[in-house]
Every structure is written in structure tokens, then in C-alpha cells.
Amino acid sequence: ALARDGVAVVDDWGFGDAALDALARDAEESLRGPPSAFLSVTSGGAVATARRRLPAVEDFLARNATLRAAVESYLGADAALDGYKVTRLATRGEDEGAYIAGLWHHDRVGRRLKLFVYLHDVDCDDGHPTLVARGTHRLRYYRTDSFAASRFEDAYVRGAYDVVAACGRRGGGFLFDTHAVHKGTPEGARDRTTVIAEFHSAAKCPALEAL
């Protein structure tokens, strides 16, 4: 599904209830407090991102052989975990200017996988699901160095592609190629808290850090 569509929705990553409870507590704690080197708040306060160690996540990423095989099959044998974070999306309105990821876009980094873990149920309408235009991970883009050129009109994307809404139960999530055209959903009445891990080909990591 990942190779065909650019996105694979997963019903259950296999954490188990106890690990999920601990992870949710650690994530909530990491999102408290004023902005710091470990906690950033962007998009007019709509998005909070924390970067702290989460043992349950590290254990999951280390022991999940199925996930590792999928990532290596997609990116190559040198695929590497390039960090993880906790992100809460709490925007209530429809102001795309305040939440720039609410525009259809690709991430301008070539092939990269992001893994999302839902720390609670994510409603398909009110839970700020991520939307992915199926099959667009196979496109080649022009002027990927230009921010504006990486954004696309909603009517065009919905008219040209089947859209996958990534939503589901606590403990599930999805894995997708950020080279695909995708968007966050600024509309919604329920906050969304997720753990997000990134995977690159290892040779890209030093180049990205240098930039």
C-alpha cells in the first residue's frame, strides 16, 4: 500500500494499552510549560511541538521488525531514523495563513517517510486528520526550492486525485512519503496529539543538517 499509494494507514501499531498510557502521560508532560529549547509553539499558538526522549517510542521503533523491513524496502538498506517528536494541533478555525501546513503541499525534501502514532482516537471529521493525495509520491516537481511552488489549490488536488484521510483509533496511525501532496486539516473541534518519527536515507541526514 505504501509503494502504491504513498500512504499506509495502520489500525494498531502494537504498543499495547499500558505502553500507550505511559506514552500519553509522557507526551502530555512534554507539552506543558513555556516555549523552550525542547518545546516550540507555532502557527499562532495552534501547533505545539516537543522534542524529549520517550522510552516507549524508542522501544517500539527498536523492536518492530515489520516496520523496519517496510522502511528499508521503501527507502533502501541505509534507511535511518532521524528523530521523533510529539505534536499537538489545536487550531479551531479555517485560517490557512495561521496554519501553513493546511495548504496542499509536498515537503521539498525528496523521498522521506513520516510515521504517526495516535495517542487518542482521531476523528475523521473533527480530529484534524492528515489528508494525502493518493499516488502523488511518484510525481516529479519543478522548482522544489521555491516554497510557493510547492503549494497547490484544493480544487485541483481533489479534482485530480483520490484523497486519503488518515484518521483512526488510539494506538494506530499511518506511514507516508512526504514527497506526496498532503495537507493538515485546520478545521476541527478536537485537538490532535501524535508522535511523529522521520526516516531518511542515511546519506541525506548530514546534508540536511548542514542546510
Side-chain angles (χ1 to χ4, degrees):
L2 180 63
R4 181 188 66 231
D5 300 334
V7 57
V9 177
V10 175
D11 293 331
D12 184 355
W13 285 114
F15 277 90
D17 287 338
L20 276 173
D21 289 343
L23 180 55
R25 288 193 299 269
D26 289 346
E28 184 66 32
E29 180 65 27
S30 70
L31 290 167
R32 291 194 184 120
S36 67
F38 304 101
L39 175 63
S40 63
V41 179
T42 58
S43 299
V47 180
T49 298
R51 292 175 173 83
R52 291 184 181 273
R53 291 196 62 183
L54 298 172
V57 174
E58 295 180 11
D59 178 63
F60 159 72
L61 294 171
R63 66 180 168 79
N64 194 315
T66 303
L67 171 63
R68 183 70 194 178
V71 170
E72 290 185 357
S73 177
Y74 192 86
L75 291 177
D78 70 335
L81 172 68
D82 194 33
Y84 61 85
K85 60 189 177 183
V86 177
T87 297
R88 171 171 293 155
L89 174 57
T91 182
R92 295 285 193 263
E94 301 180 15
D95 183 2
E96 292 175 335
Y99 180 48
I100 198 64
L103 294 168
W104 287 103
H105 66 283
H106 62 85
D107 283 3
R108 301 186 297 155
V109 297
R111 300 185 95 192
R112 172 179 66 177
L113 292 177
K114 277 191 176 181
L115 178 150
F116 282 64
V117 179
Y118 302 141
L119 299 184
H120 53 79
D121 292 352
V122 174
D123 185 80
C124 295
D125 296 314
D126 284 328
H128 304 293
T130 297
L131 306 180
V132 182
R134 194 192 307 271
T136 54
H137 63 305
R138 295 189 295 267
L139 293 177
R140 296 191 179 195
Y141 306 111
Y142 292 94
R143 289 184 56 80
T144 55
D145 60 321
S146 167
F147 181 85
S150 67
R151 264 55 189 172
F152 303 90
E153 291 285 351
D154 183 74
Y156 165 73
V157 174
R158 293 183 184 274
Y161 300 100
D162 178 34
V163 172
V164 177
C167 48
R169 305 277 305 171
R170 172 180 182 260
F174 62 102
L175 182 67
F176 87 111
D177 186 344
T178 67
H179 188 71
V181 176
H182 61 283
K183 71 186 292 290
T185 305
E187 309 89 353
R190 303 179 187 178
D191 294 356
R192 188 192 73 170
T193 304
T194 54
V195 173
I196 306 172
E198 292 188 10
F199 298 90
H200 298 266
S201 295
K204 291 177 64 175
C205 297
L208 289 170
E209 290 170 3
L211 291 171

